[in-house]
Amino acid sequence: MCLKTTLEIASTIGSLAAAGAAIYGLKIAKKQLIQIGKEIKIAVENKRTDSLRIVLEIETQMNSRKLEFDKASKEVREAKLNSASEDKMDILKDYFEAVKENYFNSLDRLCFCMLKNYLSDKDWKTEYRNLIHDTIASYEEDFSTASPYRNIKAINEKWQSE
């Protein structure tokens, strides 16, 4: 009977030790899961920050090119008012066309990013819906069927149908 009791005690002690080890393992796993959760939150925050930085960079480029586009347009109009020479007008028109192309290309890249869901179009729609629509209306010849600015046309169609 003594041997049986000793074995039962040893078995109980072994079971308690195993249960203790399991509880200790659970605590370690819980700590690791908490740490993983913190790292995921940090990663999500970093992604938001990176996205915001990218959006601000795109917007800065867009504003810079729009400003240059408006400046070139103003110079052409002023030259017409001042009856500039034909050579001067040709130079200004070439400059205007180059600046316009740069601006339209940056707008097209923005629209590409929205169409491919790199950027959420709902974040940009309120600001750019009318601008894109008015740009297409003002420069219809640049947005014909053979236009290289397919993304601008596609986002405009999408937004106007919503």
Side-chain angles (χ1 to χ4, degrees):
M1 179 104 166
C2 188
L3 183 60
K4 189 175 180 184
T5 307
T6 305
L7 288 175
E8 288 175 354
I9 291 172
S11 176
T12 303
I13 292 172
S15 295
L16 288 173
I23 290 171
Y24 182 71
L26 285 173
K27 286 184 177 186
I28 291 173
K30 182 180 176 185
K31 280 184 177 182
Q32 288 177 340
L33 287 174
I34 289 170
Q35 184 62 34
I36 289 171
K38 288 177 183 177
E39 289 174 8
I40 289 172
K41 285 181 183 178
I42 290 169
V44 166
E45 192 59 39
N46 286 343
K47 185 177 184 296
R48 278 190 196 155
T49 303
D50 286 346
S51 293
L52 178 61
R53 184 179 46 78
I54 290 167
V55 165
L56 292 174
E57 177 63 31
I58 289 171
E59 201 157 49
T60 299
Q61 286 183 12
M62 293 276 302
N63 288 336
S64 171
R65 291 178 183 193
K66 176 70 169 125
L67 185 63
E68 192 67 25
F69 180 54
D70 291 343
K71 180 181 162 189
S73 177
K74 176 184 166 238
E75 287 179 19
V76 169
R77 287 193 315 271
E78 285 177 346
K80 284 180 183 176
L81 285 175
N82 296 329
S83 302
S85 71
E86 190 174 323
D87 290 339
K88 172 92 173 171
M89 289 303 297
D90 287 343
I91 292 169
L92 287 173
K93 285 178 183 176
D94 288 345
Y95 176 66
F96 175 79
E97 289 299 318
V99 170
K100 179 175 71 170
E101 183 179 352
N102 283 338
Y103 175 62
F104 288 174
N105 284 336
S106 66
L107 192 57
D108 196 62
R109 268 194 303 281
L110 173 67
C111 293
F112 172 84
C113 290
M114 288 184 285
L115 289 170
K116 299 298 181 185
N117 295 317
Y118 296 128
L119 299 171
S120 171
D121 70 335
K122 68 179 181 174
D123 296 336
W124 296 81
K125 185 177 180 179
T126 54
E127 253 185 275
Y128 287 94
R129 181 180 183 178
N130 291 337
L131 176 115
I132 288 173
H133 181 267
D134 294 347
T135 300
I136 291 172
S138 297
Y139 299 95
E140 289 179 9
E141 67 280 359
D142 292 299
F143 294 96
S144 64
T145 306
S147 172
Y149 310 114
R150 294 183 308 271
N151 299 307
I152 297 173
K153 290 169 54 176
I155 206 80
N156 182 58
E157 289 171 14
K158 178 182 174 189
W159 286 350
Q160 296 307 318
S161 68
E162 292 176 354

